[in-house]
């Protein structure tokens, strides 16, 4: 008998076929997260689940789905999954690292450029029919080239963002729990500094850290006050890394110049006061949202899930303690 797998959203045919070859699939034909009660109900009798960043898997879920062997999330970040609880219940957890690195780094740059050069304000200005004549002092932004880029979290995505900065002749600083190896630093000419130095010296601060208990509100009032008044903050990591209330204060009172945000503290709910600020460019968590990358991510998740259920070690296993190969 084929193992039963739940897929919590409609996925491209290519990826669906990978799972269907060896599993019996229940596919939810929609594109939104599944409430916890429904998730638990649908997981009854399922051995695998292919899920997405907004589906919550915690102790309450794991304790009520005794057949479950693997949660394969279609994302690199997995803060929505309590991996320790999964491990206690002997459930494998996998993610999709690597395939979305460049796409997310591109989006980071899109936000950085759009914020610094006021592209969204310019777009609104043109559409509103306000452009009557060319103006020398219209929508003056901030230079990007030859400035200092500060990267918080020098992992795959942080390094890909740094590689793109080379074309802008930027000075690159980074901070992380540990200093990266020489080769990684030299590849992009990046300098390891402490958090305070990074915040004080950077013109652009880009966040690429996973969400962990240590990184919640990594950027709060104190940090925003340390930044330059001309600095721009870009968050394409996870919303709660920034204290959104403090950010609103900083943007309204001019502690920093602007922010480019792809993620929000309680998304899709957004701190209401952010919406009226012109110095913010916002996107609805689309860091990895290109057709090419979404197909790669979901195919990778399908392969992880099938491997786990066919008795092979899933390539992107996050809790190897559970593996009994
Ligand atoms: C998206 O946010 C991801 O973690 O892949």
């Amino acid at each position: 008998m084929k193992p039963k797998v739940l897929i919590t959203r409609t996925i491209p045919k290519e990826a669906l076929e990978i799972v269907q070859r060896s599993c019996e699939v229940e596919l939810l034909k929609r594109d939104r997260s599944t409430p916890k009660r429904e998730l638990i109900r649908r997981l009854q009798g399922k051995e695998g689940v292919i899920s997405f960043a907004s589906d919550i898997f915690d102790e309450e879920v794991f304790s009520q789905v005794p057949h479950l062997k693997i949660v394969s999330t279609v994302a690199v970040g997995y803060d929505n999954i309590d991996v320790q609880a999964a491990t206690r219940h002997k459930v494998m957890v996998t993610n999709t690292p690597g395939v979305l690195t460049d796409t997310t780094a591109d989006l980071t740059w899109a936000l950085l450029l759009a914020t610094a050069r006021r592209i969204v304000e310019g777009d609104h200005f043109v559409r509103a029919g306000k452009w009557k004549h060319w103006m020398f002092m219209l929508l003056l932004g901030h230079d990007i080239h030859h400035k200092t880029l500060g990267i918080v979290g020098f992992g795959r995505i942080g390094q890909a963002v740094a590689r793109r900065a080379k074309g802008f002749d930027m000075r690159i600083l980074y901070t992380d729990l540990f200093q990266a190896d020489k080769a990684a630093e030299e590849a992009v000419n990046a300098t390891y500094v402490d958090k305070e130095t990074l915040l004080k010296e950077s013109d652009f601060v880009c966040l690429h850290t996973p969400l962990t208990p240590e990184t919640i509100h990594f950027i709060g009032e104190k940090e925003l006050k340390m930044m330059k008044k001309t600095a721009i903050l870009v968050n394409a990591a996870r919303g709660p890394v920034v204290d959104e209330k403090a950010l609103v204060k900083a943007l309204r009172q001019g502690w920093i110049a602007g922010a480019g945000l792809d993620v929000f503290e309680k998304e899709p709910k957004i701190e209401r006061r952010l919406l009226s600020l012109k110095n913010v460019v916002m996107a609805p968590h689309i860091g990895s949202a290109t057709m090419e990358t979404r197909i790669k991510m979901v195919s990778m998740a399908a392969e992880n899930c099938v491997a786990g259920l066919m008795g092979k070690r899933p390539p992107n296993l996050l809790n190897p303690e559970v593996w009994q190969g």
Side-chain angles (χ1 to χ4, degrees), residues 37-48:
R37 287 282 117 225
E38 182 184 349
L39 190 60
I40 293 171
R41 178 168 53 76
R42 292 197 186 267
L43 282 175
Q44 297 311 308
K46 303 287 191 312
E47 290 180 47

Side-chain angles (χ1 to χ4, degrees), residues 53 74-79 96 100 104 236-238 262-263 285 287-288 294 297:
V74 189
V76 65
Y78 49 90
D79 46 277
T96 60
L100 48 73
T104 309
R238 284 292 184 264
D262 185 42
V263 288
H285 200 152
S288 60
R294 289 288 206 234
M297 288 166 73

Side-chain angles (χ1 to χ4, degrees), residues 122-257:
D123 179 277
H124 290 166
F125 185 80
V126 175
R127 284 175 202 270
K130 291 185 182 161
W131 193 27
K132 303 294 183 209
H133 46 87
W134 185 80
M135 291 161 76
F136 185 62
M137 298 301 282
L138 178 66
L139 289 173
L140 302 185
H142 295 268
D143 272 339
I144 297 148
H145 59 86
H146 297 101
K147 294 283 184 74
T148 298
L149 173 66
I151 296 178
V152 176
F154 199 59
R156 278 179 293 255
I157 298 173
Q159 290 180 37
V161 168
R163 279 198 293 282
R164 284 153 176 76
K166 281 172 97 180
F168 289 86
D169 295 319
M170 295 177 95
R171 171 181 175 231
I172 300 174
L173 305 177
Y174 77 95
T175 195
D176 208 325
L177 288 178
F178 303 103
Q179 184 165 3
D181 59 45
K182 273 248 148 332
E185 287 186 342
E186 281 172 12
V188 290
N189 204 9
T191 306
Y192 183 63
V193 292
D194 59 27
K195 179 177 176 181
E196 192 171 330
T197 307
L198 182 131
L199 293 170
K200 286 185 170 159
E201 295 192 10
S202 298
D203 298 295
F204 299 93
V205 174
C206 292
L207 307 177
H208 299 290
T209 174
L211 178 63
T212 63
E214 293 73 38
T215 61
I216 290 181
H217 287 189
F218 186 87
I219 301 289
E221 270 202 38
K222 181 166 132 245
E223 288 75 16
L224 289 158
K225 280 188 173 149
M226 282 181 191
M227 289 171 66
K228 295 184 183 180
K229 286 198 173 1
T230 50
I232 284 172
L233 177 71
V234 179
N235 189 5
R238 284 292 184 264
V241 174
V242 177
D243 176 347
E244 218 159 87
K245 287 201 170 23
L247 178 62
V248 168
K249 234 176 170 178
L251 291 164
R252 280 158 74 122
Q253 297 180 15
W255 307 349
I256 65 170

